[in-house]
Amino acid sequence: TQSTRPQRLLHAVQKNATRGDPRSVVKAIDNFCRQKEWAMNVGDEKGCILDSVVSEVNPVTVLELGTYCGYSTVRIASLLPPRAKIITLEFNPDYAKIARQVIAWAGLEDKIQVVEGPSGEWIPKMKEQFGVKTFDLVFLDHWKDRYLPDTKLLEDCGLLRKGSILLADNVICPGTPDYLEYVRNSPRYKSQYFKSHLEYTKAEDGLEKSVFLG
Ligand SMILES: O=C(NC/C=C/[C@H]1O[C@@H](n2cnc(C(F)(F)F)c2)[C@H](O)[C@@H]1O)c1cc([N+](=O)[O-])cc(O)c1O
Ligand SMILES: [Mg+2]
């Protein structure tokens, strides 16, 4: 039976990356997506912006919405301090299965918890299920029409504190207009756009970094 693109991406990691070396996993995926098949990872150009924000925030608790194959999960986790943890939500069980193997190849299982299911269900359970108080950093990279409702849900569930950082992928391409309008006009956020390019292409895209003001 025909393999899927995430399966071929995983095989490229297992073939070309060194076990336990997260940076080689990131490099193997970027090479696969440049040379073989495009895939919707944040990519190396926007990935450098992600790295700089993670390093600046130095988060202890991270939430990622949209694991896909685990590229940004590995990228973020490789920069976290020792006791820090990332919870990453993935709706599609097939993608979650691939992501767990990519994360294992990188040797980052201890820092990452992949949770399967819809954000609408899991966000309200974060405190009771995972002992989370608030998130220091949230990386939004899931369905673009869910960025705004899930941000409001995070606010309503008390999962953001003064200074929590939201970092959103694809605010230009494919675009998240309602989310962008909200974080740029709400008095509860201080927002900043980092101009870049859509992964592995010359099209414009960028990340929006928004600080929750409480
Ligand atoms: O559509 C894009 N991304 C959608 C990404 C969607 C991914 O997020 C998961 N998810 C859904 N809900 C949840 C949660 F968290 F709620 F549980 C997690 C989906 O199963 C999928 O793996 C995209 C598209 C392009 N592009 O160029 O078309 C470029 C990109 O960088 C993109 O991210
Ligand atoms: Mg994306």
Side-chain angles (χ1 to χ4, degrees):
T1 55
Q2 181 60 19
S3 69
T4 65
R5 179 168 306 178
Q7 281 169 334
R8 295 192 291 272
L9 183 150
L10 171 63
H11 293 150
V13 166
Q14 294 168 331
K15 179 165 175 280
N16 303 306
T18 308
R19 261 189 178 287
D21 175 356
R23 301 314 298 179
S24 76
V25 168
V26 167
K27 187 111 323 283
I29 295 173
D30 283 329
N31 288 340
F32 173 77
C33 292
R34 282 196 180 288
Q35 293 156 19
K36 299 282 186 330
E37 303 183 58
W38 185 92
M40 60 180 177
N41 315 119
V42 73
D44 45 354
E45 193 180 316
K46 288 185 287 177
C48 286
I49 300 167
L50 172 63
D51 291 352
S52 60
V53 171
V54 174
S55 303
E56 176 201 340
V57 176
N58 227 355
V60 173
T61 55
V62 181
L63 173 65
E64 175 180 63
L65 299 175
T67 317
Y68 187 45
C69 296
Y71 173 92
S72 48
T73 326
V74 164
R75 206 162 173 139
I76 294 167
S78 70
L79 296 172
L80 294 182
R83 278 169 319 294
K85 293 264 186 277
I86 175 168
I87 294 173
T88 181
L89 281 192
E90 179 45 57
F91 180 80
N92 180 314
D94 298 324
Y95 294 164
K97 200 164 171 294
I98 297 290
R100 285 194 172 90
Q101 295 172 81
V102 168
I103 288 160
W105 198 267
L108 291 168
E109 308 92 312
D110 298 351
K111 305 181 92 69
I112 299 167
Q113 172 137 30
V114 180
V115 177
E116 284 179 51
S119 47
E121 253 179 59
W122 278 108
I123 288 176
K125 291 185 197 164
M126 282 292 154
K127 294 191 182 230
E128 68 184 281
Q129 292 285 329
F130 304 107
V132 168
K133 270 173 68 347
T134 55
F135 288 109
D136 302 319
L137 173 67
V138 181
F139 181 54
L140 300 95
D141 192 21
H142 60 326
W143 293 319
K144 308 315 163 194
D145 59 357
R146 290 296 311 174
Y147 283 29
L148 182 53
D150 287 341
T151 296
K152 290 182 171 173
L153 191 53
L154 286 163
E155 290 173 13
D156 298 344
C157 296
L159 286 163
L160 302 179
R161 52 130 175 111
K162 195 171 165 46
S164 289
I165 303 289
L166 301 186
L167 188 64
D169 189 26
N170 310 117
V171 296
I172 303 299
C173 177
T176 62
D178 58 345
Y179 172 80
L180 219 40
E181 200 273 334
Y182 180 72
V183 290
R184 289 179 173 175
N185 298 307
S186 163
R188 304 185 76 184
Y189 291 91
K190 177 89 189 72
S191 222
Q192 185 183 1
Y193 175 59
F194 291 82
K195 184 177 169 144
S196 184
H197 294 95
L198 180 67
E199 50 266 29
Y200 318 117
T201 79
K202 292 184 168 32
E204 182 181 346
D205 189 21
L207 301 177
E208 188 82 1
K209 177 189 169 197
S210 308
V211 187
F212 185 61
L213 302 174

